[in-house]
Amino acid sequence: MKNILTVTSSPHIRHTLRTKDIMLDVIIVLLPAAVNGIIIFGLDALLVLLSTIAFAVISEYFWNLILKKPQSIGDFSAVVTGLLLGLNLSPKTPLPIAALGSVIAIIVVKQMFGGLGHNFANPAITARIVLLVSFPSFMTQYVEPFTGQLSSATPLASSGADYSLKILLFGTHSGTIGETSAFLLLLGGAVLVIRKLISPVIPISYIASVALLSAAFGDNPIKQILMGGLILGAVFMATDYVTSPTTKSGQLIFGIGCGIITFAIRHFGNLPEGVSYAILIMNILTPHIEKLTAPKPFGFKEVKNNG
Amino acid sequence: MGKKEKILRPVKKIGRGLKLPHLKNTAEMKTVVFNPKTVSIPLIQHIGAPCEPTVKKGDSVFVGTLIGESTAFVSSPVYSSVSGSVTDVKTISYNGKDTVFVVIESDGKFEKDAALAPCPVKNQEELAAATKKCGLVGLGGAGFPTHIKLSPPKDTKIDTLIINAAECEPYITSDYRECIEGYDDIIDGVYLIKDILGVERVVICVEDNKPEAIKKLYEIATNKRDNDDTVKLMELPASYPQGAEKVIIYSATGRKLPLGKLPSDVGCIVMNVTTIATLYRFIKTGVPLVSKRITLEGTAVNNPQNILAPIGTKISDIIEFAGGVSNNADRIIMGGPMMGAPIATADAVIEKRTNAVLILNEETPAESTPCIRCGRCANTCPMRLMPLKVEAALRILDTATLEDLNVNYCMECGSCSFACPAKRPLTQVMRIAKQTLRRESK
């Protein structure tokens, strides 16, 4: 035994789960959807994904290097951001634009606000919106699966008649690289829920509120759920720990809020898609939701002021 | 009496709690008795006023001879744990406090003090007096004198006696062994105290991962002495911190104990199984609390086991007796791995409240990374606090927010730090936050 012992604060045992493991798990469950996107949309999709991931990691690396901060690329959070951004882009996105999106996500949205855990909005979502308003024509070019021909209309705006449930589930329709296969995305989400890495509250409340509102206003709820970016957004972007509430009731409010805004943009707005904006708006409301839903401690009694 | 009615399900569940590794490797091993050559007994082993020594160098003492006492209500007397002679009465700095130690050289005979006599009790006042005289303190770690919990204001109605055998910390099996080896004293103690308190219900609480203890405790609940069917067994899910006082009261009765209140304020008295057994032995024979069963365990211990040792036994002596530790041993923890207190040298001694000594190998501590706001700390906190917010508020010394976050409810169970994937020292943060508020209010 050593003469001078180490004295550390309790507890003296820790769970083995690390931040890095959570990020790796998210990457792994997103891979099937990514591979599916590459199969459907070809080499273009692969190049877009590679450039968003590479530039996300490179941006983080150089930010840390220049600012003399401890290197943080090993936590894989930049990989997750790059991968999510890529999955949210059309396979026809010019590579410089895709790369610029990653730089914006990592440098502007994440690092300038203090790095991992301090960004107020989801980096991938925000970067996608920046690209969308900066390069609208490039960002809304979608292609037909396998053929690579430009599709005439954006997926959600097209009429739903030519989309069967099978096509919608397995993603053989136009859209962004990662959003098309509802089945693979839900499978990945289910793995995350079973492994207790995300709570199912946000995805379920988000998707359910979009479905209910669509049905109530005469839209086809199945098309609204399965086409477009709803599942990718609800399962993988809205559940981002940093930018969503930690309380269960807060998560419910967050999910329903996302659902209402998404529906409102799709149904009443001029934009074809509303998932990104909905999540961004709810990201900004997160601190307030969390404050509103902060739990009372066990055995708490309100001190009555009789004076 | 049907079996089903004897085993209760938890009335309420706290709905949180951690699944920890049990590591109860010593559960089936018989307790070994250790008789050290010398003991150094500290005269403060409890929350409250320190005791003044009642012996001096050269005095001969016996097992159960009073060596320290105080007239204060919040205090607990200290007795000699061996027979022999006092070789020194000295003040040394111990755990950051100047503490008086009585050092006794044992003659190895363990002769009992001739003045020890059975201490029959008839009512609650006498029970509280006996508890104080026995020297009992809470065994959970804080060392709160037990008699205070047995002395509620006159008009307080106590309807439930909770026997705590949950033992929810990993590794520790000393209460488990007490259930088996101290069965006779526990059963007599339970029925005696039940009659004295006149409670409507006795709930014996145990976690469902302790099969042998459950068998014994079930025998207590189904004993024919329970003619009015008041004694029940409650199997609780093994979830940490099930044995914490507030949590066990909630599980057993559904009542929430408010901050700063004693269990008697919600009509309950909570006693640990070892406390019951020790108290009954004192009533029966007059021998006070002079020895403790401790679980010697941990990654560095060569032969993990339960050891019955006199209070004041040095940890270094116990280690030698038990067959040593690995060369890589680097940390000694008094208590369980979740809440136990670390000590700096093996010169520390077994105290009344010690229930385990863990010796752990050197490990590279996991590196802290930024908080990713995953919420695991908040979602495992049995008190429903938000350690992640406390950490942010403490960083900028925002005491108003710390107040709003109710940090004083924290019982430092360690769940938040355990669960944190970013390996942030959240329990330590909570502790510092509480100290910060205490300083602020002065």
mmCIF file of all heavy atoms in Angstrom, chain A residues 171-216:
data_model
loop_
_atom_site.group_PDB
_atom_site.id
_atom_site.type_symbol
_atom_site.label_atom_id
_atom_site.label_comp_id
_atom_site.label_asym_id
_atom_site.label_seq_id
_atom_site.Cartn_x
_atom_site.Cartn_y
_atom_site.Cartn_z
ATOM 1 N N GLY A 171 -37.537 4.792 -48.326
ATOM 2 C CA GLY A 171 -36.826 5.994 -48.726
ATOM 3 C C GLY A 171 -36.488 6.125 -50.185
ATOM 4 O O GLY A 171 -35.647 6.940 -50.538
ATOM 5 N N THR A 172 -37.107 5.327 -51.053
ATOM 6 C CA THR A 172 -36.788 5.465 -52.470
ATOM 7 C C THR A 172 -37.625 6.574 -53.099
ATOM 8 O O THR A 172 -38.419 6.357 -54.001
ATOM 9 C CB THR A 172 -37.019 4.132 -53.210
ATOM 10 O OG1 THR A 172 -38.288 3.633 -52.817
ATOM 11 C CG2 THR A 172 -35.950 3.138 -52.878
ATOM 12 N N HIS A 173 -37.445 7.770 -52.554
ATOM 13 C CA HIS A 173 -38.086 8.949 -53.150
ATOM 14 C C HIS A 173 -37.127 10.108 -52.955
ATOM 15 O O HIS A 173 -36.146 10.010 -52.217
ATOM 16 C CB HIS A 173 -39.451 9.221 -52.505
ATOM 17 C CG HIS A 173 -39.388 9.458 -51.021
ATOM 18 N ND1 HIS A 173 -39.202 10.692 -50.472
ATOM 19 C CD2 HIS A 173 -39.474 8.595 -49.976
ATOM 20 C CE1 HIS A 173 -39.202 10.593 -49.162
ATOM 21 N NE2 HIS A 173 -39.357 9.328 -48.820
ATOM 22 N N SER A 174 -37.432 11.219 -53.623
ATOM 23 C CA SER A 174 -36.491 12.329 -53.538
ATOM 24 C C SER A 174 -36.550 12.967 -52.158
ATOM 25 O O SER A 174 -37.528 12.852 -51.443
ATOM 26 C CB SER A 174 -36.812 13.361 -54.630
ATOM 27 O OG SER A 174 -38.059 13.956 -54.354
ATOM 28 N N GLY A 175 -35.449 13.636 -51.817
ATOM 29 C CA GLY A 175 -35.364 14.258 -50.493
ATOM 30 C C GLY A 175 -33.921 14.506 -50.142
ATOM 31 O O GLY A 175 -33.032 14.371 -50.993
ATOM 32 N N THR A 176 -33.659 14.855 -48.876
ATOM 33 C CA THR A 176 -32.262 15.022 -48.480
ATOM 34 C C THR A 176 -31.647 13.632 -48.312
ATOM 35 O O THR A 176 -32.350 12.623 -48.298
ATOM 36 C CB THR A 176 -32.119 15.808 -47.166
ATOM 37 O OG1 THR A 176 -32.574 14.986 -46.091
ATOM 38 C CG2 THR A 176 -32.915 17.102 -47.196
ATOM 39 N N ILE A 177 -30.324 13.604 -48.133
ATOM 40 C CA ILE A 177 -29.620 12.319 -48.140
ATOM 41 C C ILE A 177 -30.160 11.374 -47.069
ATOM 42 O O ILE A 177 -30.393 10.199 -47.309
ATOM 43 C CB ILE A 177 -28.103 12.542 -47.934
ATOM 44 C CG1 ILE A 177 -27.541 13.361 -49.091
ATOM 45 C CG2 ILE A 177 -27.368 11.211 -47.795
ATOM 46 C CD1 ILE A 177 -26.127 13.855 -48.864
ATOM 47 N N GLY A 178 -30.379 11.922 -45.869
ATOM 48 C CA GLY A 178 -30.673 11.027 -44.758
ATOM 49 C C GLY A 178 -32.119 10.951 -44.344
ATOM 50 O O GLY A 178 -32.483 10.140 -43.488
ATOM 51 N N GLU A 179 -32.976 11.790 -44.899
ATOM 52 C CA GLU A 179 -34.318 11.873 -44.339
ATOM 53 C C GLU A 179 -35.291 10.866 -44.938
ATOM 54 O O GLU A 179 -36.391 10.699 -44.433
ATOM 55 C CB GLU A 179 -34.880 13.294 -44.514
ATOM 56 C CG GLU A 179 -35.317 13.596 -45.948
ATOM 57 C CD GLU A 179 -35.793 15.022 -46.143
ATOM 58 O OE1 GLU A 179 -35.578 15.856 -45.241
ATOM 59 O OE2 GLU A 179 -36.372 15.293 -47.200
ATOM 60 N N THR A 180 -34.896 10.196 -46.031
ATOM 61 C CA THR A 180 -35.923 9.496 -46.797
ATOM 62 C C THR A 180 -36.378 8.176 -46.183
ATOM 63 O O THR A 180 -37.546 7.841 -46.246
ATOM 64 C CB THR A 180 -35.467 9.244 -48.247
ATOM 65 O OG1 THR A 180 -34.297 8.447 -48.201
ATOM 66 C CG2 THR A 180 -35.197 10.543 -48.966
ATOM 67 N N SER A 181 -35.470 7.414 -45.544
ATOM 68 C CA SER A 181 -35.908 6.112 -45.046
ATOM 69 C C SER A 181 -36.447 6.206 -43.636
ATOM 70 O O SER A 181 -35.710 6.168 -42.648
ATOM 71 C CB SER A 181 -34.770 5.093 -45.075
ATOM 72 O OG SER A 181 -35.228 3.917 -44.432
ATOM 73 N N ALA A 182 -37.775 6.333 -43.551
ATOM 74 C CA ALA A 182 -38.412 6.438 -42.243
ATOM 75 C C ALA A 182 -38.117 5.212 -41.401
ATOM 76 O O ALA A 182 -37.860 5.307 -40.199
ATOM 77 C CB ALA A 182 -39.918 6.592 -42.422
ATOM 78 N N PHE A 183 -38.103 4.064 -42.039
ATOM 79 C CA PHE A 183 -37.910 2.820 -41.307
ATOM 80 C C PHE A 183 -36.555 2.785 -40.604
ATOM 81 O O PHE A 183 -36.456 2.521 -39.413
ATOM 82 C CB PHE A 183 -38.036 1.634 -42.278
ATOM 83 C CG PHE A 183 -37.666 0.327 -41.669
ATOM 84 C CD1 PHE A 183 -38.511 -0.271 -40.739
ATOM 85 C CD2 PHE A 183 -36.474 -0.302 -41.990
ATOM 86 C CE1 PHE A 183 -38.170 -1.481 -40.156
ATOM 87 C CE2 PHE A 183 -36.127 -1.513 -41.416
ATOM 88 C CZ PHE A 183 -36.980 -2.096 -40.493
ATOM 89 N N LEU A 184 -35.480 3.102 -41.354
ATOM 90 C CA LEU A 184 -34.142 3.034 -40.761
ATOM 91 C C LEU A 184 -33.961 4.097 -39.680
ATOM 92 O O LEU A 184 -33.297 3.864 -38.664
ATOM 93 C CB LEU A 184 -33.074 3.183 -41.848
ATOM 94 C CG LEU A 184 -33.000 2.016 -42.837
ATOM 95 C CD1 LEU A 184 -32.000 2.309 -43.946
ATOM 96 C CD2 LEU A 184 -32.629 0.719 -42.118
ATOM 97 N N LEU A 185 -34.564 5.266 -39.879
ATOM 98 C CA LEU A 185 -34.439 6.324 -38.876
ATOM 99 C C LEU A 185 -35.160 5.936 -37.586
ATOM 100 O O LEU A 185 -34.644 6.127 -36.490
ATOM 101 C CB LEU A 185 -35.006 7.643 -39.418
ATOM 102 C CG LEU A 185 -34.189 8.285 -40.538
ATOM 103 C CD1 LEU A 185 -34.959 9.451 -41.146
ATOM 104 C CD2 LEU A 185 -32.840 8.767 -40.015
ATOM 105 N N LEU A 186 -36.363 5.378 -37.739
ATOM 106 C CA LEU A 186 -37.109 4.961 -36.547
ATOM 107 C C LEU A 186 -36.396 3.822 -35.836
ATOM 108 O O LEU A 186 -36.367 3.764 -34.607
ATOM 109 C CB LEU A 186 -38.530 4.550 -36.931
ATOM 110 C CG LEU A 186 -39.442 5.715 -37.330
ATOM 111 C CD1 LEU A 186 -40.790 5.198 -37.810
ATOM 112 C CD2 LEU A 186 -39.629 6.688 -36.175
ATOM 113 N N LEU A 187 -35.802 2.934 -36.623
ATOM 114 C CA LEU A 187 -35.036 1.834 -36.025
ATOM 115 C C LEU A 187 -33.886 2.398 -35.181
ATOM 116 O O LEU A 187 -33.679 1.997 -34.029
ATOM 117 C CB LEU A 187 -34.490 0.936 -37.138
ATOM 118 C CG LEU A 187 -33.874 -0.379 -36.701
ATOM 119 C CD1 LEU A 187 -34.973 -1.333 -36.256
ATOM 120 C CD2 LEU A 187 -33.064 -0.997 -37.838
ATOM 121 N N GLY A 188 -33.158 3.345 -35.765
ATOM 122 C CA GLY A 188 -32.059 3.971 -35.029
ATOM 123 C C GLY A 188 -32.558 4.652 -33.771
ATOM 124 O O GLY A 188 -31.959 4.538 -32.697
ATOM 125 N N GLY A 189 -33.691 5.365 -33.893
ATOM 126 C CA GLY A 189 -34.271 6.035 -32.730
ATOM 127 C C GLY A 189 -34.655 5.037 -31.655
ATOM 128 O O GLY A 189 -34.414 5.262 -30.461
ATOM 129 N N ALA A 190 -35.220 3.906 -32.085
ATOM 130 C CA ALA A 190 -35.633 2.892 -31.108
ATOM 131 C C ALA A 190 -34.422 2.360 -30.349
ATOM 132 O O ALA A 190 -34.480 2.157 -29.135
ATOM 133 C CB ALA A 190 -36.359 1.748 -31.821
ATOM 134 N N VAL A 191 -33.313 2.168 -31.066
ATOM 135 C CA VAL A 191 -32.098 1.698 -30.388
ATOM 136 C C VAL A 191 -31.661 2.714 -29.331
ATOM 137 O O VAL A 191 -31.324 2.365 -28.202
ATOM 138 C CB VAL A 191 -30.968 1.440 -31.412
ATOM 139 C CG1 VAL A 191 -29.652 1.159 -30.705
ATOM 140 C CG2 VAL A 191 -31.339 0.285 -32.320
ATOM 141 N N LEU A 192 -31.706 3.992 -29.687
ATOM 142 C CA LEU A 192 -31.296 5.023 -28.730
ATOM 143 C C LEU A 192 -32.217 5.036 -27.505
ATOM 144 O O LEU A 192 -31.770 5.220 -26.382
ATOM 145 C CB LEU A 192 -31.289 6.405 -29.385
ATOM 146 C CG LEU A 192 -30.231 6.657 -30.456
ATOM 147 C CD1 LEU A 192 -30.278 8.114 -30.907
ATOM 148 C CD2 LEU A 192 -28.836 6.327 -29.949
ATOM 149 N N VAL A 193 -33.509 4.842 -27.737
ATOM 150 C CA VAL A 193 -34.460 4.835 -26.612
ATOM 151 C C VAL A 193 -34.216 3.615 -25.731
ATOM 152 O O VAL A 193 -34.144 3.721 -24.501
ATOM 153 C CB VAL A 193 -35.916 4.870 -27.122
ATOM 154 C CG1 VAL A 193 -36.892 4.598 -25.979
ATOM 155 C CG2 VAL A 193 -36.219 6.215 -27.765
ATOM 156 N N ILE A 194 -34.039 2.449 -26.364
ATOM 157 C CA ILE A 194 -33.826 1.223 -25.582
ATOM 158 C C ILE A 194 -32.532 1.318 -24.781
ATOM 159 O O ILE A 194 -32.470 0.909 -23.632
ATOM 160 C CB ILE A 194 -33.808 -0.011 -26.522
ATOM 161 C CG1 ILE A 194 -35.218 -0.249 -27.068
ATOM 162 C CG2 ILE A 194 -33.308 -1.255 -25.793
ATOM 163 C CD1 ILE A 194 -35.271 -1.193 -28.244
ATOM 164 N N ARG A 195 -31.506 1.900 -25.378
ATOM 165 C CA ARG A 195 -30.244 2.055 -24.654
ATOM 166 C C ARG A 195 -30.278 3.260 -23.708
ATOM 167 O O ARG A 195 -29.269 3.650 -23.149
ATOM 168 C CB ARG A 195 -29.081 2.189 -25.640
ATOM 169 C CG ARG A 195 -28.781 0.874 -26.348
ATOM 170 C CD ARG A 195 -27.683 1.028 -27.391
ATOM 171 N NE ARG A 195 -26.425 1.517 -26.835
ATOM 172 C CZ ARG A 195 -25.519 0.736 -26.273
ATOM 173 N NH1 ARG A 195 -25.723 -0.541 -26.182
ATOM 174 N NH2 ARG A 195 -24.400 1.242 -25.807
ATOM 175 N N LYS A 196 -31.442 3.861 -23.565
ATOM 176 C CA LYS A 196 -31.666 4.992 -22.654
ATOM 177 C C LYS A 196 -30.748 6.168 -22.965
ATOM 178 O O LYS A 196 -30.308 6.881 -22.072
ATOM 179 C CB LYS A 196 -31.515 4.553 -21.203
ATOM 180 C CG LYS A 196 -32.577 3.549 -20.809
ATOM 181 C CD LYS A 196 -32.698 3.408 -19.322
ATOM 182 C CE LYS A 196 -33.935 2.566 -19.018
ATOM 183 N NZ LYS A 196 -33.959 1.990 -17.720
ATOM 184 N N LEU A 197 -30.428 6.355 -24.232
ATOM 185 C CA LEU A 197 -29.593 7.494 -24.591
ATOM 186 C C LEU A 197 -30.449 8.711 -24.905
ATOM 187 O O LEU A 197 -30.013 9.832 -24.745
ATOM 188 C CB LEU A 197 -28.692 7.138 -25.779
ATOM 189 C CG LEU A 197 -27.672 6.042 -25.450
ATOM 190 C CD1 LEU A 197 -26.851 5.676 -26.657
ATOM 191 C CD2 LEU A 197 -26.752 6.469 -24.314
ATOM 192 N N ILE A 198 -31.671 8.491 -25.383
ATOM 193 C CA ILE A 198 -32.598 9.616 -25.530
ATOM 194 C C ILE A 198 -33.917 9.215 -24.884
ATOM 195 O O ILE A 198 -34.204 8.036 -24.721
ATOM 196 C CB ILE A 198 -32.845 10.024 -27.002
ATOM 197 C CG1 ILE A 198 -33.446 8.865 -27.798
ATOM 198 C CG2 ILE A 198 -31.577 10.541 -27.649
ATOM 199 C CD1 ILE A 198 -33.957 9.277 -29.174
ATOM 200 N N SER A 199 -34.672 10.235 -24.481
ATOM 201 C CA SER A 199 -36.005 9.950 -23.959
ATOM 202 C C SER A 199 -36.978 9.977 -25.126
ATOM 203 O O SER A 199 -36.834 10.778 -26.051
ATOM 204 C CB SER A 199 -36.357 11.003 -22.906
ATOM 205 O OG SER A 199 -37.655 11.481 -23.120
ATOM 206 N N PRO A 200 -37.962 9.080 -25.146
ATOM 207 C CA PRO A 200 -38.885 9.049 -26.284
ATOM 208 C C PRO A 200 -39.894 10.196 -26.278
ATOM 209 O O PRO A 200 -40.664 10.336 -27.211
ATOM 210 C CB PRO A 200 -39.597 7.701 -26.109
ATOM 211 C CG PRO A 200 -39.511 7.412 -24.647
ATOM 212 C CD PRO A 200 -38.248 8.051 -24.154
ATOM 213 N N VAL A 201 -39.873 11.024 -25.231
ATOM 214 C CA VAL A 201 -40.932 12.033 -25.080
ATOM 215 C C VAL A 201 -40.954 12.995 -26.267
ATOM 216 O O VAL A 201 -42.004 13.237 -26.869
ATOM 217 C CB VAL A 201 -40.768 12.812 -23.756
ATOM 218 C CG1 VAL A 201 -41.802 13.911 -23.659
ATOM 219 C CG2 VAL A 201 -40.873 11.866 -22.573
ATOM 220 N N ILE A 202 -39.786 13.548 -26.627
ATOM 221 C CA ILE A 202 -39.775 14.544 -27.704
ATOM 222 C C ILE A 202 -40.181 13.932 -29.049
ATOM 223 O O ILE A 202 -41.109 14.440 -29.691
ATOM 224 C CB ILE A 202 -38.406 15.258 -27.791
ATOM 225 C CG1 ILE A 202 -38.225 16.151 -26.557
ATOM 226 C CG2 ILE A 202 -38.290 16.078 -29.071
ATOM 227 C CD1 ILE A 202 -36.890 16.845 -26.481
ATOM 228 N N PRO A 203 -39.550 12.850 -29.503
ATOM 229 C CA PRO A 203 -39.958 12.309 -30.806
ATOM 230 C C PRO A 203 -41.451 11.970 -30.864
ATOM 231 O O PRO A 203 -42.125 12.323 -31.842
ATOM 232 C CB PRO A 203 -39.117 11.034 -30.955
ATOM 233 C CG PRO A 203 -37.983 11.193 -30.030
ATOM 234 C CD PRO A 203 -38.402 12.118 -28.943
ATOM 235 N N ILE A 204 -41.963 11.323 -29.823
ATOM 236 C CA ILE A 204 -43.368 10.903 -29.870
ATOM 237 C C ILE A 204 -44.295 12.110 -29.867
ATOM 238 O O ILE A 204 -45.211 12.219 -30.685
ATOM 239 C CB ILE A 204 -43.683 9.943 -28.701
ATOM 240 C CG1 ILE A 204 -42.960 8.605 -28.924
ATOM 241 C CG2 ILE A 204 -45.200 9.717 -28.579
ATOM 242 C CD1 ILE A 204 -43.095 7.627 -27.785
ATOM 243 N N SER A 205 -44.040 13.073 -28.962
ATOM 244 C CA SER A 205 -44.956 14.212 -28.900
ATOM 245 C C SER A 205 -44.853 15.061 -30.167
ATOM 246 O O SER A 205 -45.855 15.593 -30.656
ATOM 247 C CB SER A 205 -44.677 15.055 -27.651
ATOM 248 O OG SER A 205 -43.339 15.488 -27.637
ATOM 249 N N TYR A 206 -43.650 15.167 -30.714
ATOM 250 C CA TYR A 206 -43.442 15.955 -31.931
ATOM 251 C C TYR A 206 -44.208 15.310 -33.097
ATOM 252 O O TYR A 206 -45.057 15.940 -33.748
ATOM 253 C CB TYR A 206 -41.936 16.011 -32.206
ATOM 254 C CG TYR A 206 -41.491 16.945 -33.314
ATOM 255 C CD1 TYR A 206 -40.133 17.169 -33.523
ATOM 256 C CD2 TYR A 206 -42.382 17.622 -34.140
ATOM 257 C CE1 TYR A 206 -39.682 18.018 -34.519
ATOM 258 C CE2 TYR A 206 -41.942 18.465 -35.138
ATOM 259 C CZ TYR A 206 -40.582 18.657 -35.336
ATOM 260 O OH TYR A 206 -40.140 19.497 -36.329
ATOM 261 N N ILE A 207 -43.931 14.034 -33.342
ATOM 262 C CA ILE A 207 -44.539 13.364 -34.496
ATOM 263 C C ILE A 207 -46.053 13.277 -34.317
ATOM 264 O O ILE A 207 -46.826 13.540 -35.247
ATOM 265 C CB ILE A 207 -43.907 11.967 -34.695
ATOM 266 C CG1 ILE A 207 -42.426 12.128 -35.065
ATOM 267 C CG2 ILE A 207 -44.650 11.179 -35.781
ATOM 268 C CD1 ILE A 207 -41.635 10.848 -35.094
ATOM 269 N N ALA A 208 -46.499 12.959 -33.092
ATOM 270 C CA ALA A 208 -47.941 12.826 -32.858
ATOM 271 C C ALA A 208 -48.664 14.152 -33.066
ATOM 272 O O ALA A 208 -49.748 14.187 -33.655
ATOM 273 C CB ALA A 208 -48.190 12.307 -31.440
ATOM 274 N N SER A 209 -48.050 15.255 -32.622
ATOM 275 C CA SER A 209 -48.781 16.515 -32.781
ATOM 276 C C SER A 209 -48.843 16.923 -34.249
ATOM 277 O O SER A 209 -49.857 17.466 -34.697
ATOM 278 C CB SER A 209 -48.193 17.615 -31.885
ATOM 279 O OG SER A 209 -46.806 17.702 -32.033
ATOM 280 N N VAL A 210 -47.773 16.644 -35.015
ATOM 281 C CA VAL A 210 -47.844 16.929 -36.457
ATOM 282 C C VAL A 210 -48.950 16.081 -37.100
ATOM 283 O O VAL A 210 -49.768 16.581 -37.880
ATOM 284 C CB VAL A 210 -46.487 16.643 -37.145
ATOM 285 C CG1 VAL A 210 -46.641 16.685 -38.667
ATOM 286 C CG2 VAL A 210 -45.445 17.662 -36.702
ATOM 287 N N ALA A 211 -48.997 14.795 -36.715
ATOM 288 C CA ALA A 211 -49.990 13.899 -37.314
ATOM 289 C C ALA A 211 -51.407 14.360 -36.988
ATOM 290 O O ALA A 211 -52.272 14.437 -37.876
ATOM 291 C CB ALA A 211 -49.768 12.476 -36.801
ATOM 292 N N LEU A 212 -51.653 14.695 -35.711
ATOM 293 C CA LEU A 212 -53.002 15.095 -35.300
ATOM 294 C C LEU A 212 -53.426 16.383 -35.994
ATOM 295 O O LEU A 212 -54.538 16.487 -36.513
ATOM 296 C CB LEU A 212 -53.056 15.283 -33.778
ATOM 297 C CG LEU A 212 -53.012 13.989 -32.960
ATOM 298 C CD1 LEU A 212 -52.951 14.299 -31.479
ATOM 299 C CD2 LEU A 212 -54.231 13.128 -33.287
ATOM 300 N N LEU A 213 -52.519 17.369 -36.012
ATOM 301 C CA LEU A 213 -52.866 18.644 -36.632
ATOM 302 C C LEU A 213 -53.102 18.466 -38.132
ATOM 303 O O LEU A 213 -54.036 19.046 -38.695
ATOM 304 C CB LEU A 213 -51.761 19.667 -36.379
ATOM 305 C CG LEU A 213 -51.719 20.226 -34.949
ATOM 306 C CD1 LEU A 213 -50.422 20.989 -34.703
ATOM 307 C CD2 LEU A 213 -52.918 21.143 -34.703
ATOM 308 N N SER A 214 -52.266 17.648 -38.794
ATOM 309 C CA SER A 214 -52.438 17.430 -40.232
ATOM 310 C C SER A 214 -53.795 16.800 -40.510
ATOM 311 O O SER A 214 -54.528 17.230 -41.409
ATOM 312 C CB SER A 214 -51.344 16.503 -40.773
ATOM 313 O OG SER A 214 -50.086 17.003 -40.443
ATOM 314 N N ALA A 215 -54.127 15.781 -39.704
ATOM 315 C CA ALA A 215 -55.408 15.107 -39.897
ATOM 316 C C ALA A 215 -56.551 16.091 -39.684
ATOM 317 O O ALA A 215 -57.521 16.125 -40.453
ATOM 318 C CB ALA A 215 -55.525 13.923 -38.936
ATOM 319 N N ALA A 216 -56.418 16.926 -38.637
ATOM 320 C CA ALA A 216 -57.500 17.864 -38.320
ATOM 321 C C ALA A 216 -57.682 18.886 -39.433
ATOM 322 O O ALA A 216 -58.786 19.364 -39.674
ATOM 323 C CB ALA A 216 -57.204 18.558 -36.995
#
